[in-house]
Amino acid sequence: MQELITVEDVTKKYGNKTALGNANLKIEQGEFVALVGMSGSGKTTLLRMIAGLEQPTSGQIRQAGQVVDSINTNARVMFQDDRLLPWLSVRENLTFGEHSKKDITEADSLLNLVGLDEYADVYPEKLSGGQKQRVALARALMSHPKLLLLDEPLGALDALTRLNMQDLILQICRKRNFTTLLVTHDINEAVRMANRIIVVKNSMIVRQVENPYQGQDSVDAEAKQTGIVNDILHTIYEKD
Amino acid sequence: MEETKSKNKINSILMQLLPWTIPVALIILWQIAVDVGWITSSFIPSPLSVLANGVSLWKSGELPKNISISLYRALVGFAIGGGLGFILGFLNGVSKVMRALFDTTIQMLRNIPHLALIPVVILVLGIGETAKISLVAIGCLFPMYINTYHGITSVDPHLIEMGKSYGLSKYKLFSKVIFPGALPTILMGVRYALGVMWTTLIVAETVSADSGIGYMSTNAQQFMNMKTIFLCIIIYAILGKLSDFIAKTLENILLDWR
Ligand SMILES: Nc1ncnc2c1ncn2[C@@H]1O[C@H](COP(=O)(O)OP(=O)(O)OP(=O)(O)O)[C@@H](O)[C@H]1O
Ligand SMILES: [Mg+2]
């Protein structure tokens, strides 16, 4: 296994408030890692630094050996708010208005993958919240990113759509062997999708849990997953 | 079913006609009032006589000549002022250095009502074409500047961040994210500038000119020619409405995603 992301002694401060303290983390190629923790614990801060949208106050982040010191265009962020461009059709949101045959073919096949081929020519305004998020997912997958950074991508969805989207994302990431970092509030979601779960608490990475039951839905595996969920919840709510 | 459908259709036609009932009724009333003699026609001419006057002035070639010279001044002034306003607004919107250099000055100048510059412009540029076109240009510059600048600087920063993070080139970022995001505000500026364009031209042509609709109107005033004065007012109204229509159509085409 090859190491893709290295987070080394990274601290991020806003003024004198520490948003993330002395974080260390390695993500290997092909891994699906989830980042969980309470609101304000520093999850988005870490993800934004890996995306190069924010610079660490101290420490270093590397992707495939290269220091991330400006916007990291080798990573694709799927933001919590869909950030679709309202003036472009769904397809153009994927291609950014590019008309080359290659781009359009790729866009159409991704829209097919997320089940939205009929909506290619529609403006985003006409879509439901869940459909918009699927478009945002498809856009993030354009041109095979080396790293997918998903910040609460399913936050705004109802429980059922959420389950479908979890399956969809997991399927795609496995089939295409993406490396993925998923930020989520939902521990169940983390344990269903990730092979490793990172727990952030009070701006610190406090724990990393391996999850051999990733993506499994047998009764037995689900029981094991529930065990892991409870274990993580215990860590998060434990008094210091 | 069928009956309610046709009823609905009639209703919708009636609803579309409704806004026109009052203007039409007023014009008819006006015609009658003059015909019956409630109003002296030398004071306020009847709509039909204004129309007849228009037709004869058109045939003599005087009206087409004056309309086209006014249109020319309006459009050239708008193109120069609006274009300059757009370019300045664009530069200040995207470049911090430009903003620091220009914005304060422009904000100060903006507070001078441009019509107050008429005496200065006449003294410096005389009463030729340059003077009138300059006035229109100055009038159109500020609304275009303000709206372009505002439009560009108030594009959702989240969208810009997304574009950068997705590796868009500077050109792509501008053409696909910033400009379309600013366009609704810019078009509001266009609409506003078109309004300013006409009022400025009316004043400029009334104050000093030897051709144009404004001149026709002042000239008619000296001969107490009420028919021509009314004709000019109506032409201004039509031209104003026309530019509003053009602005609206532009919005409908360019902002079809809304
Ligand atoms: N731009 C900023 N300026 C100042 N403080 C910030 C900024 N961004 C984040 N913070 C602070 O850093 C801390 C961590 O924020 P972060 O957004 O990483 O939390 P999070 O774990 O993603 O929370 P949530 O689950 O609510 O999204 C918070 O206390 C937040 O107030
Ligand atoms: Mg967050």
Side-chain angles (χ1 to χ4, degrees), chain A residues 65-118:
Chain A
Q66 282 201 318
V67 179
V68 177
D69 54 5
S70 60
I71 287 179
N72 180 2
T73 51
N74 286 319
R76 280 289 169 268
V77 188
M78 184 181 165
F79 299 92
Q80 178 164 13
D81 44 337
D82 55 69
R83 300 199 187 182
L84 298 177
L85 300 171
W87 41 83
L88 297 182
S89 72
V90 165
R91 182 190 290 113
E92 288 170 329
N93 261 284
L94 269 59
T95 61
F96 288 103
E98 209 61 66
H99 292 297
S100 79
K101 188 132 195 224
K102 181 179 150 287
D103 281 333
I104 291 188
T105 315
E106 192 186 358
D108 285 347
S109 88
L110 283 170
L111 286 176
N112 178 277
L113 195 64
V114 299
L116 288 175
D117 3 22
E118 304 158 55

Side-chain angles (χ1 to χ4, degrees), chain B:
Chain B
M1 266 310 270
E2 276 303 300
E3 209 169 296
T4 51
K5 235 183 200 169
S6 64
K7 225 180 198 172
N8 280 342
K9 210 170 177 185
I10 292 170
N11 269 342
S12 91
I13 292 172
L14 282 179
M15 277 311 280
Q16 279 181 352
L17 290 178
L18 204 56
W20 296 99
T21 46
I22 292 177
V24 169
L26 280 177
I27 290 175
I28 292 172
L29 193 70
W30 173 13
Q31 180 70 40
I32 292 171
V34 178
D35 284 348
V36 177
W38 293 332
I39 307 174
T40 14
S41 62
S42 63
F43 195 54
I44 295 181
S46 77
L48 281 177
S49 68
V50 171
L51 194 67
N53 178 242
V55 171
S56 80
L57 282 174
W58 185 271
K59 280 185 179 150
S60 76
E62 195 176 336
L63 194 54
K65 188 195 94 193
N66 284 315
I67 289 182
S68 42
I69 187 81
S70 286
L71 269 177
Y72 164 78
R73 288 167 184 155
L75 293 181
V76 174
F78 175 82
I80 295 173
L84 219 61
F86 176 79
I87 292 169
L88 282 172
F90 164 74
L91 289 176
N92 290 3
V94 295
S95 150
K96 277 199 183 108
V97 180
M98 290 296 221
R99 195 177 312 169
L101 184 63
F102 283 122
D103 191 52
T104 311
T105 314
I106 296 178
Q107 295 298 344
M108 269 160 56
L109 291 177
R110 184 170 78 97
N111 287 315
I112 304 170
H114 66 287
L115 293 178
L117 296 176
I118 289 180
V120 184
V121 171
I122 290 176
L123 280 176
V124 177
L125 298 171
I127 61 160
E129 291 310 301
T130 327
K132 284 178 283 283
I133 290 174
S134 306
L135 271 174
V136 175
I138 296 169
C140 294
L141 191 146
F142 293 106
M144 275 307 280
Y145 169 77
I146 301 285
N147 281 273
T148 307
Y149 174 76
H150 254 273
I152 285 180
T153 48
S154 54
V155 175
D156 182 356
H158 285 148
L159 293 182
I160 297 176
E161 186 184 70
M162 181 279 298
K164 286 183 178 164
S165 162
Y166 275 61
L168 296 190
S169 66
K170 276 212 159 114
Y171 169 74
K172 265 268 142 92
L173 192 65
F174 181 75
S175 66
K176 296 297 169 195
V177 183
I178 298 174
F179 184 71
L183 199 55
T185 319
I186 295 176
L187 288 177
M188 264 166 55
V190 169
R191 189 191 276 219
Y192 192 77
L194 284 171
V196 173
M197 173 184 88
W198 287 121
T199 42
T200 311
L201 190 71
I202 293 171
V203 176
E205 286 186 343
T206 309
V207 173
S208 75
D210 48 16
S211 60
I213 304 166
Y215 164 77
M216 258 177 80
S217 177
T218 352
N219 197 41
Q221 179 204 334
Q222 287 172 5
F223 297 96
M224 283 290 283
N225 180 352
M226 284 312 239
K227 286 180 199 165
T228 303
I229 295 175
F230 269 83
L231 182 68
C232 292
I233 293 172
I234 289 168
I235 290 173
Y236 277 134
I238 293 172
L239 289 174
K241 189 78 200 157
L242 191 70
S243 43
D244 217 48
F245 174 76
I246 291 171
K248 250 191 202 146
T249 311
L250 216 59
E251 281 174 19
N252 286 340
I253 295 171
L254 295 174
L255 307 180
D256 65 330
W257 50 274
R258 293 214 296 197

